[in-house]
């Protein structure tokens, strides 16, 4: 006798995902989800099967499902999270994630917004202007501090050992809505909260005089800073923040 394994793949917002490939570890059995996000692996004999789901641009959770098959089995579902990714050079980068990270590996003991979960166990720092005196906070020693939690609009210094493509599963910032970034007195490390390049003119303070009308971004190639402002002028390198780019304001 042969049996089947069936399930549904949805996005983290509840949308059914079509075109997701679900297969066993041997690669001999696979199915692709339909418009309703449903899949069915058929012709399976009694045994244990490790199933994975994949679709370009998504990270699936759980990473895999182990199914001990003794008869037709249902409910072997997966959830797909959009993969936010950016290629970054070796060395120090001032960056931020343009969205909300998701916890796709709940068994690792790290919250989704923990910088160690997002960037890995590498040098990672963020400046705390509210400290007395203001100082940098290290992810290696204080990853759970509120100031270190990763979310859109927050900038971090991260040092990569080599060229890296950073992949973060989660929910990208909704570009159709206004996004607010909280600031303290003094210098703040912010980041472009949007997935694409954003004109600096779009960063509008609640009070016109409360924030200086320029920012400084870190240039990895030269190891120095470049000025960004709303309007082109002498000394202004750019008029927008690039995707994933952090800045001092």
């Amino acid at each position: 006798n042969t049996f089947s394994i069936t399930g549904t793949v949805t996005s983290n917002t509840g949308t059914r995902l079509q075109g997701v490939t679900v297969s066993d570890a041997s690669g001999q059995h696979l199915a692709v989800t339909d418009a309703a996000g449903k899949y069915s692996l058929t012709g399976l004999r009694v045994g244990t099967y490790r199933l994975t789901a994949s679709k370009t641009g998504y990270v699936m959770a759980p990473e895999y499902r182990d199914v001990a098959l003794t008869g037709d089995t249902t409910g072997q579902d997966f959830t797909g999270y959009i993969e936010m990714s950016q290629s970054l050079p070796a060395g120090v980068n001032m960056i931020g994630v343009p969205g909300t990270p998701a916890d796709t590996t709940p068994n690792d003991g790290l919250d989704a917004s923990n910088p160690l979960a997002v960037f890995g166990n590498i040098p990672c720092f963020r400046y705390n202007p509210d400290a007395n005196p203001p100082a940098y906070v290290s992810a290696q020693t204080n990853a759970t501090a509120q100031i270190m939690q990763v979310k859109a609009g927050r900038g971090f210094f991260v040092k990569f050992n080599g060229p890296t493509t950073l992949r973060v599963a989660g929910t990208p910032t909704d570009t159709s809505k206004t996004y607010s970034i909280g600031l303290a007195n003094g210098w703040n490390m912010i980041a472009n909260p949007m997935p694409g390049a954003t004109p600096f003119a779009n960063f509008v303070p609640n009070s016109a005089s409360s924030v200086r009308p320029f920012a400084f971004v870190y240039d990895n190639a030269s190891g120095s800073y470049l000025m960004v402002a709303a309007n082109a002028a002498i000394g202004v390198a750019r008029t927008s923040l690039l995707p994933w780019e952090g800045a001092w304001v």
Side-chain angles (χ1 to χ4, degrees):
N1 293 335
T2 61
F3 303 100
S4 65
I5 301 175
T6 60
T8 303
V9 184
T10 59
S11 73
N12 60 307
T13 60
T15 304
R16 301 296 180 94
L17 291 180
Q18 184 177 14
V20 177
T21 299
V22 180
S23 62
D24 70 341
S26 71
Q28 296 179 357
H29 305 94
L30 63 85
V32 178
T33 57
D34 60 18
K38 296 184 180 298
Y39 74 90
S40 179
L41 292 171
T42 59
L44 306 176
R45 298 189 180 278
V46 170
T48 299
Y49 296 84
R50 173 162 291 189
L51 305 185
T52 59
S54 63
K55 180 178 174 67
T56 300
Y58 286 85
V59 175
M60 296 293 166
E63 183 179 357
Y64 58 84
R65 284 192 175 279
D66 286 330
V67 182
L69 188 67
T70 57
D72 291 337
T73 302
T74 63
Q76 300 305 303
D77 303 336
F78 292 88
T79 301
Y81 296 84
I82 292 176
E83 182 182 80
M84 300 174 282
S85 66
Q86 182 72 6
S87 295
L88 298 160
V92 176
N93 291 263
M94 190 179 186
I95 60 174
V97 177
T100 303
D103 190 358
T104 60
T105 54
N107 295 325
D108 65 3
L110 300 176
D111 292 336
S113 59
N114 188 306
L116 298 179
V118 175
F119 303 121
N121 190 18
I122 58 176
C124 174
F125 297 87
R126 190 159 192 266
Y127 186 71
N128 184 3
D130 281 332
N132 186 20
Y136 283 99
V137 180
S138 168
Q140 277 63 43
T141 58
N142 208 353
T144 59
Q146 196 282 331
I147 190 72
M148 295 301 293
Q149 301 312 289
V150 179
K151 62 181 181 179
R154 287 189 167 186
F156 294 81
F157 277 123
V158 183
K159 185 177 181 181
F160 297 105
N161 293 327
T164 299
T165 298
L166 189 62
R167 295 181 170 88
V168 180
T171 304
T173 304
D174 187 344
T175 58
S176 68
K177 298 179 180 179
T178 299
Y179 189 87
S180 297
I181 302 173
L183 300 176
N185 289 329
W187 287 100
N188 292 257
M189 293 177 72
I190 69 164
N192 182 0
M194 300 298 173
T198 303
F200 193 69
N202 290 2
F203 292 82
V204 181
N206 292 336
S207 173
S209 60
S210 62
V211 180
R212 296 181 183 181
F214 54 82
F216 291 102
V217 298
Y218 183 75
D219 180 51
N220 169 276
S222 65
S224 60
Y225 288 97
L226 304 175
M227 182 183 290
V228 175
N231 300 305
I234 296 175
V236 175
R238 277 193 271 110
T239 59
S240 63
L241 290 186
L242 301 178
W244 291 68
E245 188 169 49
W248 286 104
V249 296

